[in-house]
Amino acid sequence: MGRPSPADVSGPLGPFASGFLLELVERGYEWTAARARLRLMTELSAWMASRGLGPAALTSSVMTEFLEGARAVDRGKQWCSPTSERQLLAYLRDLGAVPAPEAAVVTDPVERLLAKFVEYLVRERGLVVGSRSVYEYERTARLFLSGRVDPDGGGLERLTAGQVTSFILAECRRRRMSRARVTSLRGLLRFLYLEGFTSTDLTGAVPAVANTTPIGS
């Protein structure tokens, strides 16, 4: 198979195909991965055209409708992955080509805290909502905070360096503590301290360099 071509994308998303492919290449994606993401754009654009939908109609619910139909036909389609969906929507939203995600009422304390963390990343770090970096920060934060936040949103004042270390060791055993996860965890702990959720800055409990070898291997 050859390199992915923006010319394959017709319909309402066609004008954005070249830019999307360029962004993927600039981020270091190999042609196989870029081809899968461009295939999603191709299939989605054709589906939208068949229903007379323009870019302004591409809400999260419309994307979900398309993906449910595609996965029902063939669950093995690699281009239907959640990562590809997020990246495409984030790119189109950054351009202002499609609507921002619909606002939802958040009641879960962890999700409320994650929303504040994302706001902090945008405000203080200049990151972009929906970007790959924010996704990694949010994913690590959700994993770390799960089970550590009380139903009323409290509990983090009891957080200790030992708990941070235990989390890191568990991650090393199960998934390998990647450099991205190290950076994300340090960012979360710094946020918790600056925003007053913890009384101590616990970033020192996180190693500066990722340990890529699982403990006990």
Side-chain angles (χ1 to χ4, degrees):
M1 297 178 66
R3 294 182 176 182
S5 172
D8 295 334
V9 185
S10 59
L13 301 184
F16 311 105
S18 294
F20 184 50
L21 179 58
L22 179 60
E23 178 171 289
L24 294 173
V25 172
E26 289 178 343
R27 288 189 176 190
Y29 283 92
E30 296 182 353
W31 289 121
T32 300
R35 184 185 299 111
R37 285 153 177 78
L38 203 65
R39 174 70 183 281
L40 169 61
M41 195 177 199
T42 300
E43 299 288 343
L44 173 60
S45 189
W47 180 85
M48 291 173 64
S50 69
R51 285 160 176 76
L53 302 177
L58 185 55
T59 61
S60 297
S61 57
V62 169
M63 174 65 95
T64 299
E65 180 185 352
F66 162 73
L67 290 174
E68 287 177 349
R71 289 168 179 148
V73 174
D74 183 359
R75 292 183 177 274
K77 286 185 172 70
Q78 296 301 314
W79 50 267
C80 284
S81 73
T83 300
S84 297
E85 171 199 349
R86 282 191 296 269
Q87 288 176 331
L88 176 56
L89 283 178
Y91 173 75
L92 294 172
R93 285 168 179 161
D94 287 347
L95 294 178
V98 304
E102 299 91 337
V105 177
V106 180
T107 58
D108 182 85
V110 171
E111 294 302 320
R112 288 202 303 267
L113 187 55
L114 286 173
K116 292 180 180 179
F117 183 40
V118 171
E119 290 177 3
Y120 163 82
L121 293 171
V122 173
R123 182 182 71 249
E124 302 295 333
R125 301 288 185 86
L127 300 182
V128 177
V129 175
S131 66
R132 188 177 182 184
S133 295
V134 168
Y135 171 70
E136 182 60 40
Y137 272 106
E138 192 174 2
R139 181 174 65 167
T140 300
R142 181 177 287 106
L143 188 64
F144 178 78
L145 293 172
S146 179
R148 293 186 169 89
V149 181
D150 296 339
D152 62 359
L156 291 174
E157 68 278 0
R158 301 189 297 269
L159 192 62
T160 66
Q163 290 175 310
V164 175
T165 301
S166 295
F167 171 80
I168 294 171
L169 293 177
E171 287 301 288
C172 287
R173 293 189 185 100
R174 292 181 302 190
R175 299 180 178 84
R176 297 188 177 184
M177 194 68 180
S178 67
R179 186 177 298 275
R181 183 147 293 175
V182 166
T183 299
S184 298
L185 182 58
R186 289 176 66 88
L188 171 65
L189 294 173
R190 184 63 176 167
F191 156 77
L192 294 176
Y193 173 65
L194 292 176
E195 298 296 316
F197 293 100
T198 60
S199 59
T200 306
D201 186 354
L202 297 172
T203 55
V206 185
V209 179
N211 175 10
T212 56
T213 304
I215 294 176
S217 61

